Amino acid sequence: LGPNQSVNLASNVTGTLPTANGGTGATSFTSPKILQVVQASTTTETVKTNSTFSDTGLTADITPSATSSKVLIFVNCGGVGKASSNTYAQLKLLRGSTGLVTFEQRGGYDGGTDANKVGSCSTFYEDSPSTTSATTYKVQLRSGNNSSYAQMGDSASTSSIILMEIAG
């Protein structure tokens, strides 16, 4: 064949063709289906001066359509850090009262007493709530040092949460 000629694969090739470019050779795929998306945001500043986790106001509810569904959670918290003292911010994602992941362990920690803001802290998490009841996801904050000032939402920065139900 010359450089500008083509091969008719339907009639001129026999046998098994190799899979190109690292493919699997699979002929059909079932891709996950997104069933619903819920989004919520807040610009409210949350300040903690003790080491007890408390709600930040960043919360969203979703009602899964099947117990086999997964929920993908995307969280971005703005304005995270410490305002003073030798402390740090900790952020935790929860389903109801069940902790799923602590996604910021030492926000703003620098070993000193000056303010130190880290900006945004994000996480994503895949959950299997195994329910068709309304389910609440939320973010909580605490100060790592029991009497010092940790925060989320400094200067009215936006924090957001997105929930995506994926067919299971």
Side-chain angles (χ1 to χ4, degrees):
L1 292 176
N4 293 325
Q5 292 179 326
S6 61
V7 173
N8 182 335
L9 293 177
S11 63
N12 295 341
V13 176
T14 60
T16 303
L17 295 175
T19 302
N21 297 327
T24 65
T27 58
S28 66
F29 295 95
T30 302
S31 62
K33 290 185 173 64
I34 298 173
L35 302 177
Q36 62 176 311
V37 177
V38 176
Q39 188 270 337
S41 62
T42 183
T43 57
T44 302
E45 181 180 24
T46 302
V47 173
K48 288 297 298 181
T49 58
N50 63 51
S51 60
T52 302
F53 275 107
S54 298
D55 293 351
T56 62
L58 184 57
T59 182
D61 298 324
I62 193 167
T63 303
S65 58
T67 57
S68 60
S69 291
K70 306 285 188 201
V71 177
L72 296 179
I73 306 118
F74 301 88
V75 175
N76 184 60
C77 298
V80 176
K82 68 174 183 122
S84 62
S85 300
N86 187 12
T87 193
Y88 47 90
Q90 288 188 321
L91 296 168
K92 181 166 55 169
L93 173 65
L94 298 94
R95 177 191 351 101
S97 60
T98 301
L100 299 176
V101 62
T102 300
F103 62 95
E104 180 56 53
Q105 290 282 3
R106 310 219 3 121
Y109 182 75
D110 61 2
T113 58
D114 292 334
N116 190 24
K117 309 302 167 76
V118 295
S120 294
C121 297
S122 300
T123 193
F124 64 93
Y125 188 86
E126 179 184 300
D127 190 31
S128 300
S130 301
T131 186
T132 56
S133 298
T135 303
T136 300
Y137 291 91
K138 62 185 177 180
V139 174
Q140 291 186 332
L141 168 73
R142 79 174 188 167
S143 172
N145 183 336
N146 202 31
S147 63
S148 299
Y149 187 109
Q151 67 190 135
M152 182 186 99
D154 181 40
S155 300
S157 57
T158 300
S159 296
S160 59
I161 184 169
I162 298 172
L163 309 175
M164 298 173 67
E165 180 187 1
I166 307 297

